[in-house]
Amino acid sequence: MNVVIVRYGEIGTKSRQTRRWFENILMNNIREALVSEGVEFKKVEAKHGRVLVKTNRAKEAVEVLRRVFGIVSLSPAMEIEAEMEKINRTALKLFRRKKRELGLEKLKFRVTARRITKEFPLKSPEVQARVGEYILENEESEVNLHHYDIEVGVELMEGKAYVFVDKVKAWGGLPIGTQGKVVALLSGGIDSPVAAFLMMKRGVEVIPVHIYMGEKTLEKVRRIWNQLKKYHYGGKGELVVIKPEERERILEKLRELGKEKYTCVFCKFMMVRHADKIAKDFGAKGIVMGDSLGQVASQTLENMYIVSQASDLPIYRPLIGMDKEEIVRIAKEIGTFELSTLPEDEIPFIPRHPVIRGSWEEFRKLYKAVFGEEPGKGEC
Amino acid sequence: MNVVIVRYGEIGTKSRQTRRWFENILMNNIREALVSEGVEFKKVEAKHGRVLVKTNRAKEAVEVLRRVFGIVSLSPAMEIEAEMEKINRTALKLFRRKKRELGLEKLKFRVTARRITKEFPLKSPEVQARVGEYILENEESEVNLHHYDIEVGVELMEGKAYVFVDKVKAWGGLPIGTQGKVVALLSGGIDSPVAAFLMMKRGVEVIPVHIYMGEKTLEKVRRIWNQLKKYHYGGKGELVVIKPEERERILEKLRELGKEKYTCVFCKFMMVRHADKIAKDFGAKGIVMGDSLGQVASQTLENMYIVSQASDLPIYRPLIGMDKEEIVRIAKEIGTFELSTLPEDEIPFIPRHPVIRGSWEEFRKLYKAVFGEEPGKGEC
């Protein structure tokens, strides 16, 4: 294989101008991914609605590029001169290789040809017929358009033919860097990395922020972010760690007032307050959180209302409508689940009965008791 | 069949008290669903972590209850006395019926038994062995624990046996009514019904609000809400339609100032403003929108920032991390896709080039020019 065909989805639906811009960002992210992972390549170029990556390490490249957002599918392919005989021989070679890989005796297959540009003299159905016949002559097999073990692809464009037998699904989404920046709060749990991942998938650069709880948890969050970075080519974010100096003061006051049950809501409110500050320093336009409604008793609309008042920025909660099961499935797929289940520092101040439906009025009073002023809000 | 076994997931992980409360809401929603759809039943009761619905119309009941949130899976079953001989005969009968349904000659099957309460004298593996042998004696078939066409289930509890051969997957989530209320903006497009659906799935009662655009679109939204209502048993929401009187004034002023490009952002801002008011009237704690980042050029973090300033309530955007393809897949599954693609009123005032990255400062000035005051915010 000497090339990877990169197919992108949604970018294709944009206006021509936007599309050119998106393609360029996608190509940059592809280059960055390959360089970071040490996969050599000769050239990355956009052609007729697809990106071609010239490389002799196509299989490795595909493994890396599966994690670049904006890409829908990938095929390691052979680029050759567009001559019928060469196409036949290459198709047969790839067919045989795939057959060995599958370990099947008698195969069903089909050939799918497309003329991306029209200078090749034969039309697509004829190319399909010729390649199919050639394979049938040389290998015991059978053509079946609906149930097939191998699909041989032939794309014809600008005097070249691209022949392939694999089409690897990627994540889709949009290239990172097309949608600006947001701050993502990472706690060390299962949910917050998945939330950050889903925003990244939609083209957002993420600035990961962790509110310090202890060394063990911090180490864990570092590992989680290192894993997430494998999907963040094109983004620059380095983990920002904040040691919340106000914590002792809050805990003491809540204890004094017998309102320990507000500890968690307070803690989350302060997290968002810190995230808000970082966001404004870095020019980020929102905050991502891993909230899923009702997952624990205290993840209520009331408590989320209170927490949302800590910033004028929109809080994005991509998991809000998901069940734990779905979140865990994604966490496993992206490789953060195991890291999220590593041991972390015990938090001694979690109350036995956190408030379920916190009251904004009561929270305001508590905030005033601790800080001597109204909670306020960034821009208000 | 004379009973439906209803299995619920996440509820089972809650504290005992919460669980009792959730079970009661779930049972009420089940009753409401069956009554609404005219499926007769005798009794709905909670027993040992499952709900039993006594009915002679078990198959129909299953079809309805698949749309009740909080339910993970359903089995139409035969409730009989827990005697080995009766269990064997019932299992064989259901096995035969299922075999005819599948239309297969020689079947692989397995038996899975569970003692929910322990008074039955034989242990589960022995029950499995007996039932398996009985079927093998009477039907040409083969036991295979891993690859099977039929799984015969036997659950033993309080002197009764429940025998079944089907396990139908439902949506999961949480029972509607356990998580309070939110307002959902319904536009008539593909996305907003899916967003409302996902919030409902997490146990939220939805108050649907439509901002009037014309009769054709309104009729369409009515049909969409009628479809969504089939998932809303336990909720009361009736479509609220708002005719925005300020529209002409805004359009005129924007035209006068040559700022038509802000029309869409303004329009969405006002939608949220109206939703905010309705939410406060109805005691709802948030607003749901169908935004998916970057889906159209103007769905940017900047524009969502502006729109978010219209209310102090959290705006929930369950689709924010999803690709169009995923949203369409859900819309098709829940039956709103076709309705969303019906024709709607043309909107004459959509600008040719909507603002991509709107500025909050500029928006504020425009707002002031139209209304003579700062945009403000509910509670601020």
Side-chain angles (χ1 to χ4, degrees):
Chain A
M1 307 289 180
N2 56 13
V3 67
V4 177
I5 305 175
V6 176
R7 297 177 196 86
Y8 44 81
E10 281 187 59
I11 305 178
T13 65
K14 311 283 171 194
S15 71
R16 208 174 147 187
Q17 201 184 353
T18 313
R19 178 173 160 170
R20 187 71 48 89
W21 175 65
F22 274 46
E23 274 177 354
N24 281 330
I25 295 185
L26 177 60
M27 285 195 290
N28 279 335
N29 294 355
I30 286 174
R31 286 186 196 104
E32 193 181 313
L34 295 173
V35 170
S36 308
E37 303 293 334
V39 179
E40 279 167 43
F41 62 96
K42 292 186 192 101
K43 207 172 166 184
V44 176
E45 55 183 346
K47 280 211 168 166
H48 307 288
R50 60 237 324 110
V51 168
L52 298 177
V53 179
K54 306 280 177 77
T55 172
N56 293 320
R57 295 169 65 187
K59 287 232 158 178
E60 283 163 83
V62 166
E63 276 317 297
V64 171
L65 298 182
R66 282 180 66 186
R67 301 192 310 264
V68 173
F69 295 128
I71 297 175
V72 167
S73 76
L74 296 147
S75 291
M78 283 300 294
E79 181 191 75
I80 51 172
E81 296 303 314
E83 291 165 22
M84 207 53 240
E85 206 183 320
K86 278 192 185 162
I87 294 170
N88 281 340
R89 282 205 312 268
T90 307
L92 182 62
K93 199 170 90 186
L94 297 187
F95 180 93
R96 283 179 168 152
R97 200 187 288 175
K98 186 73 187 172
K99 188 177 167 183
R100 273 198 305 279
E101 195 187 306
L102 293 174
L104 292 169
E105 286 288 291
K106 216 198 153 191
L107 280 172
K108 293 183 187 117
F109 76 100
R110 77 171 190 185
V111 182
T112 305
R114 275 190 71 187
R115 291 196 305 171
I116 313 294
T117 58
K118 307 293 180 192
E119 67 288 312
F120 194 70
L122 302 178
K123 288 195 175 164
S124 303
E126 202 164 341
V127 175
Q128 288 168 188
R130 300 260 187 120
V131 174
E133 275 162 31
Y134 190 80
I135 291 173
L136 286 170
E137 278 165 21
N138 287 282
E139 281 284 329
E140 204 184 324
S141 56
E142 185 187 312
V143 171
N144 191 318
L145 299 185
H146 302 290
H147 305 283
Y148 46 86
D149 307 298
I150 296 181
E151 176 169 30
V152 178
V154 181
E155 296 193 353
L156 296 152
M157 143 166 89
E158 296 181 7
K160 304 279 184 189
Y162 299 83
V163 187
F164 53 91
V165 287
D166 284 305
K167 201 168 187 173
V168 178
K169 223 176 120 47
W171 282 100
L174 298 169
I176 284 180
T178 58
Q179 303 294 327
K181 278 182 281 193
V182 297
V183 162
L185 281 164
L186 290 182
S187 67
I190 294 166
D191 300 346
S192 54
V194 176
F197 172 86
L198 289 173
M199 288 302 282
M200 282 156 52
K201 193 184 109 195
R202 292 300 303 170
V204 170
E205 184 179 345
V206 154
I207 300 159
V209 172
H210 173 63
I211 312 295
Y212 187 77
M213 291 288 173
E215 282 304 312
K216 232 192 282 178
T217 306
L218 175 57
E219 176 53 24
K220 187 175 155 176
V221 171
R222 282 198 195 290
R223 291 179 66 182
I224 290 173
W225 177 243
N226 280 337
Q227 178 64 20
L228 281 178
K229 264 174 149 175
K230 294 184 185 165
Y231 299 89
H232 201 238
Y233 304 111
K236 283 168 235 26
E238 288 303 326
L239 188 66
V240 179
V241 181
I242 289 171
K243 298 210 180 188
E245 285 160 20
E246 73 284 355
R247 191 178 283 154
E248 277 313 313
R249 196 163 145 196
I250 295 170
L251 292 174
E252 231 167 75
K253 199 69 183 178
L254 290 180
R255 227 174 284 130
E256 191 187 310
L257 297 169
K259 291 290 182 185
E260 291 98 329
K261 65 175 180 175
Y262 269 89
T263 308
C264 298
V265 174
F266 230 113
C267 189
K268 276 201 149 184
F269 184 94
M270 296 311 297
M271 283 179 181
V272 172
R273 190 44 69 83
H274 288 294
D276 175 84
K277 196 175 167 327
I278 302 282
K280 278 153 193 174
D281 290 349
F282 284 76
K285 298 288 191 293
I287 298 167
V288 190
M289 295 181 80
D291 293 310
S292 159
L293 199 57
Q295 192 190 95
V296 298
S298 59
Q299 276 185 329
T300 57
L301 294 173
E302 286 82 359
N303 288 355
M304 284 189 232
Y305 175 87
I306 296 175
V307 170
S308 301
Q309 304 309 313
S311 170
D312 64 307
L313 292 172
I315 298 182
Y316 295 104
R317 300 174 171 93
L319 314 184
I320 194 72
M322 290 189 189
D323 286 4
K324 190 76 186 183
E325 202 188 310
E326 299 169 80
I327 299 168
V328 165
R329 190 179 47 73
I330 302 175
K332 284 182 177 166
E333 261 181 87
I334 65 177
T336 58
F337 180 78
E338 276 196 28
L339 302 172
S340 290
T341 52
L342 291 173
E344 53 185 44
D345 299 286
E346 272 180 56
I347 306 173
F349 50 80
I350 289 185
R352 278 192 58 151
H353 297 291
V355 66
I356 303 287
R357 289 173 216 284
S359 139
W360 171 238
E361 282 315 311
E362 186 157 9
F363 181 84
R364 272 173 76 179
K365 279 183 210 147
L366 295 173
Y367 189 96
K368 233 175 151 177
V370 176
F371 293 106
E373 58 180 28
E374 287 283 334
K377 199 167 201 182
E379 310 266 302
C380 256
Chain B
M1 307 289 179
N2 55 12
V3 66
V4 176
I5 305 174
V6 176
R7 298 177 196 86
Y8 43 80
E10 281 186 58
I11 306 177
T13 66
K14 311 283 172 193
S15 71
R16 210 175 143 186
Q17 202 184 351
T18 313
R19 178 172 158 171
R20 187 71 49 89
W21 176 66
F22 274 46
E23 274 177 354
N24 280 330
I25 295 185
L26 177 59
M27 286 195 290
N28 279 335
N29 294 356
I30 287 173
R31 287 186 197 103
E32 193 182 313
L34 295 173
V35 171
S36 308
E37 303 294 334
V39 179
E40 279 167 45
F41 62 96
K42 292 186 193 104
K43 205 171 168 188
V44 176
E45 54 182 345
K47 280 214 167 162
H48 306 288
R50 56 221 349 92
V51 168
L52 298 177
V53 179
K54 306 280 176 76
T55 172
N56 292 322
R57 295 170 64 186
K59 288 233 160 174
E60 284 164 81
V62 166
E63 276 318 298
V64 171
L65 298 182
R66 282 179 68 186
R67 301 193 311 264
V68 173
F69 295 127
I71 297 176
V72 167
S73 76
L74 296 147
S75 292
M78 283 301 292
E79 181 190 76
I80 51 173
E81 296 304 314
E83 289 165 24
M84 208 50 242
E85 207 183 319
K86 280 194 182 159
I87 295 171
N88 280 341
R89 283 205 311 268
T90 307
L92 181 63
K93 196 170 92 185
L94 297 188
F95 180 93
R96 283 180 169 152
R97 197 186 292 177
K98 185 75 186 168
K99 188 179 166 183
R100 273 198 305 278
E101 194 186 308
L102 292 174
L104 292 169
E105 286 288 289
K106 215 199 152 191
L107 280 172
K108 295 183 186 116
F109 76 101
R110 76 172 190 184
V111 182
T112 305
R114 275 188 72 188
R115 293 196 303 172
I116 313 292
T117 58
K118 305 296 180 190
E119 67 288 313
F120 194 70
L122 302 178
K123 288 193 175 163
S124 303
E126 202 163 341
V127 175
Q128 288 169 188
R130 300 260 188 119
V131 174
E133 275 162 33
Y134 189 79
I135 291 173
L136 287 170
E137 278 165 23
N138 288 282
E139 280 286 326
E140 204 185 326
S141 54
E142 186 188 313
V143 171
N144 191 320
L145 298 185
H146 303 290
H147 307 282
Y148 47 86
D149 308 297
I150 297 181
E151 178 170 28
V152 178
V154 181
E155 296 193 355
L156 296 153
M157 147 164 87
E158 297 182 5
K160 303 278 183 192
Y162 299 83
V163 187
F164 53 92
V165 287
D166 283 304
K167 202 169 186 172
V168 178
K169 227 175 117 47
W171 281 100
L174 297 170
I176 285 179
T178 59
Q179 303 294 324
K181 277 182 282 193
V182 297
V183 162
L185 282 163
L186 290 183
S187 67
I190 294 167
D191 300 346
S192 54
V194 176
F197 171 85
L198 289 173
M199 288 302 282
M200 281 156 53
K201 192 184 113 199
R202 292 300 301 168
V204 171
E205 184 179 345
V206 155
I207 300 158
V209 172
H210 173 62
I211 312 294
Y212 187 78
M213 292 288 173
E215 283 304 312
K216 233 193 279 176
T217 306
L218 175 58
E219 176 53 26
K220 186 175 157 179
V221 171
R222 283 200 196 286
R223 292 180 64 181
I224 290 173
W225 177 243
N226 279 338
Q227 178 64 19
L228 281 178
K229 263 175 152 175
K230 295 185 185 165
Y231 300 89
H232 200 238
Y233 304 111
K236 282 168 238 21
E238 287 304 325
L239 189 65
V240 179
V241 181
I242 290 172
K243 298 210 178 185
E245 286 159 19
E246 73 283 356
R247 192 179 282 155
E248 277 314 311
R249 193 162 146 196
I250 296 171
L251 292 173
E252 230 168 77
K253 198 70 183 175
L254 291 180
R255 227 175 285 131
E256 188 187 312
L257 297 168
K259 292 288 182 187
E260 291 98 328
K261 65 175 181 174
Y262 270 90
T263 307
C264 297
V265 174
F266 229 112
C267 189
K268 276 201 152 187
F269 184 94
M270 295 313 296
M271 283 180 182
V272 172
R273 190 44 68 82
H274 288 295
D276 175 85
K277 195 174 167 326
I278 302 281
K280 279 154 194 172
D281 291 348
F282 284 76
K285 299 287 192 292
I287 297 166
V288 190
M289 296 181 78
D291 293 310
S292 159
L293 199 57
Q295 194 190 95
V296 296
S298 60
Q299 275 186 330
T300 58
L301 294 173
E302 285 83 358
N303 288 356
M304 285 191 231
Y305 175 87
I306 296 174
V307 170
S308 300
Q309 303 310 312
S311 169
D312 64 309
L313 293 172
I315 298 182
Y316 295 105
R317 299 173 171 94
L319 314 183
I320 194 74
M322 290 189 190
D323 287 4
K324 191 76 186 182
E325 202 188 310
E326 299 170 81
I327 299 168
V328 166
R329 189 178 47 72
I330 301 175
K332 286 182 177 166
E333 261 182 87
I334 65 177
T336 57
F337 180 78
E338 276 196 29
L339 302 173
S340 290
T341 52
L342 290 173
E344 52 185 45
D345 299 286
E346 271 181 59
I347 306 173
F349 51 80
I350 288 185
R352 277 191 61 147
H353 297 290
V355 66
I356 303 287
R357 289 171 217 288
S359 139
W360 172 237
E361 281 316 311
E362 187 158 8
F363 181 84
R364 272 172 74 179
K365 278 184 212 147
L366 295 173
Y367 189 96
K368 234 175 148 174
V370 176
F371 293 106
E373 56 180 29
E374 287 283 334
K377 199 168 201 178
E379 309 266 305
C380 254

